[in-house]
Amino acid sequence: MRVPALGVTAGVAALNVISTALPALAQDAPRVEVERMLPILALPQSVQDRVPEDVDLGHLGNVSRESVRFLGEDDIADYWVGRSGNTQVCLIVKISGGNGVSASACASLTDFYRTGLGLGAGESVNGSEGSIEAYLLPADIDPIDLGAARHMKQAWQGRPDAHLLTVRPRVVSNWKGSEVERDNGISFRFTPISSKGR
């Protein structure tokens, strides 16, 4: 199921944003602390973790500035994770360049545990294009188990504890969803963002 991202801010750019989240069933809701799903959130915030001032966290899901942690960067964008209240986790992206393009996707902690977060965003400015496709995963999910190895971007520079997967959007149209069975019996269902309609 496609759902719109909670927020987008843009300068002079045409921006496309797609996010994915599948609803979890209430009776299957796990009781997993966010710091176990995303250990990076348990670390103290450093100067590097702060988003630039032109990234409007209020518009991007009302993300708490103090909760934001830097995940890494690739040749197109910078990535962060943050919290919106006590019930949501958000993936935040800022596309490189001077256009101030940023986007986010948020999910409840239960939905994040069950399906992770996916965000696709792209811009076209003066004939140049840049687009990203990124997936934030719980700490117990290995991207290799999702069939991601051949789709991963080689230019990714991220923290080893980030649990962020960036892929090449133009070559993942045949990437199928998958399911990983956890030891506790609660499955993780991965659904790549469809590249159709971009």
Side-chain angles (χ1 to χ4, degrees), residues 23-95:
L25 300 175
Q27 65 267 26
D28 293 337
R31 296 216 176 258
V32 179
E33 297 295 321
V34 68
E35 290 82 6
R36 283 190 54 212
M37 289 188 277
L38 290 164
I40 196 170
L41 292 176
L43 301 175
Q45 188 181 55
S46 69
V47 172
Q48 181 188 25
D49 291 322
R50 297 184 185 135
V51 297
E53 289 298 322
D54 63 342
V55 176
D56 186 349
L57 293 176
H59 186 71
L60 296 176
N62 204 26
V63 178
S64 161
R65 195 164 285 278
E66 295 76 29
S67 73
V68 174
R69 301 294 182 271
F70 182 67
L71 298 173
E73 62 188 339
D74 60 22
D75 52 339
I76 296 176
D78 294 328
Y79 304 88
W80 295 267
V81 62
R83 300 281 307 270
S84 177
N86 293 322
T87 60
Q88 291 197 318
V89 62
C90 300
L91 174 59
I92 303 153
V93 61
K94 180 175 182 190
I95 295 185

Side-chain angles (χ1 to χ4, degrees), residues 4-184:
L6 283 180
V8 177
T9 60
V12 183
L15 182 69
N16 237 347
V17 178
I18 301 171
S19 68
T20 61
L22 295 174
L25 300 175
Q27 65 267 26
D28 293 337
R31 296 216 176 258
V32 179
E33 297 295 321
V34 68
E35 290 82 6
R36 283 190 54 212
M37 289 188 277
L38 290 164
I40 196 170
L41 292 176
L43 301 175
Q45 188 181 55
S46 69
V47 172
Q48 181 188 25
D49 291 322
R50 297 184 185 135
V51 297
E53 289 298 322
D54 63 342
V55 176
D56 186 349
L57 293 176
H59 186 71
L60 296 176
N62 204 26
V63 178
S64 161
R65 195 164 285 278
E66 295 76 29
S67 73
V68 174
R69 301 294 182 271
F70 182 67
L71 298 173
E73 62 188 339
D74 60 22
D75 52 339
I76 296 176
D78 294 328
Y79 304 88
W80 295 267
V81 62
R83 300 281 307 270
S84 177
N86 293 322
T87 60
Q88 291 197 318
V89 62
C90 300
L91 174 59
I92 303 153
V93 61
K94 180 175 182 190
I95 295 185
S96 303
N99 296 304
V101 177
S102 55
S104 70
C106 298
S108 71
L109 299 180
T110 299
D111 288 348
F112 177 71
Y113 184 76
R114 299 294 302 262
T115 64
L117 263 174
L119 175 63
E123 70 170 333
S124 177
V125 181
N126 299 330
S128 66
E129 292 187 22
S131 62
I132 62 96
E133 190 165 315
Y135 300 93
L136 186 61
L137 307 172
D140 64 338
I141 301 300
D142 187 338
I144 303 304
D145 294 339
L146 304 176
R150 65 186 178 147
H151 302 296
M152 294 167 71
K153 289 184 79 164
Q154 300 304 313
W156 167 247
Q157 299 290 321
R159 295 167 66 156
D161 54 353
H163 304 287
L164 182 73
L165 170 65
T166 62
V167 298
R168 300 178 306 254
R170 295 183 189 266
V171 298
V172 294
S173 60
N174 63 346
W175 192 14
K176 305 297 181 206
S178 57
E179 191 164 328
V180 175
E181 187 72 27
R182 291 180 166 103
D183 291 340
N184 64 7

